[in-house]
Amino acid sequence: MPGPGDSPDLGRGGNPGRPGVPADPFPQDLARYLAASTGLPQPTAVRVVADVATYFSETVEEFVRRRHIELQQRQRKNHEIWPLIAAELGQRRFAAPGLSERQLRRIVYG
């Protein structure tokens, strides 16, 4: 997790935790709204929004690899790990794949 002075600027295409991968920019007013509605300091609200954006930008492959390592570190065996990961996959949201203009047109027009 970033420290207090490490407020990422997602509005400029940065993506903490995934260098070189552009992040979906979030409206700057989202962090202001979060700060106002929760009483969090603005830098903390920006970090929370950045953390949530990073969480939802994880791909299926990244999630599976990360969870496998985490569960192995907790002394779980593969025969226990695979069913857990499979169940967790059904409860997660993942970043949409990048789509070309042609793919977007096909979604709309068939």
Side-chain angles (χ1 to χ4, degrees):
M1 179 171 287
D6 298 320
S7 303
D9 184 0
L10 293 182
R12 294 194 182 159
N15 191 336
R18 293 181 66 200
V21 177
D24 293 327
F26 65 88
Q28 294 300 310
D29 63 333
L30 178 57
R32 285 191 297 275
Y33 173 81
L34 182 62
S37 68
T38 63
L40 289 172
Q42 182 72 19
T44 302
V46 168
R47 262 196 340 270
V48 168
V49 171
D51 286 348
V52 170
T54 299
Y55 176 86
F56 284 118
S57 71
E58 188 173 44
T59 66
V60 172
E61 293 81 7
E62 291 167 337
F63 172 77
V64 169
R65 288 185 191 109
R66 178 179 59 78
R67 284 298 289 150
H68 185 259
I69 290 169
E70 288 173 0
L71 293 167
Q72 279 185 326
Q73 290 173 343
R74 294 180 185 164
Q75 309 306 313
R76 302 299 279 275
K77 302 295 182 199
N78 278 341
H79 72 275
E80 301 170 304
I81 290 174
W82 303 129
L84 284 171
I85 291 175
E88 290 174 357
L89 282 170
Q91 300 170 1
R92 293 266 312 189
R93 261 185 96 167
F94 293 96
L99 299 173
S100 68
E101 286 185 34
R102 181 176 183 217
Q103 290 170 313
L104 294 171
R105 284 194 300 271
R106 291 192 79 177
I107 290 170
V108 173
Y109 302 115

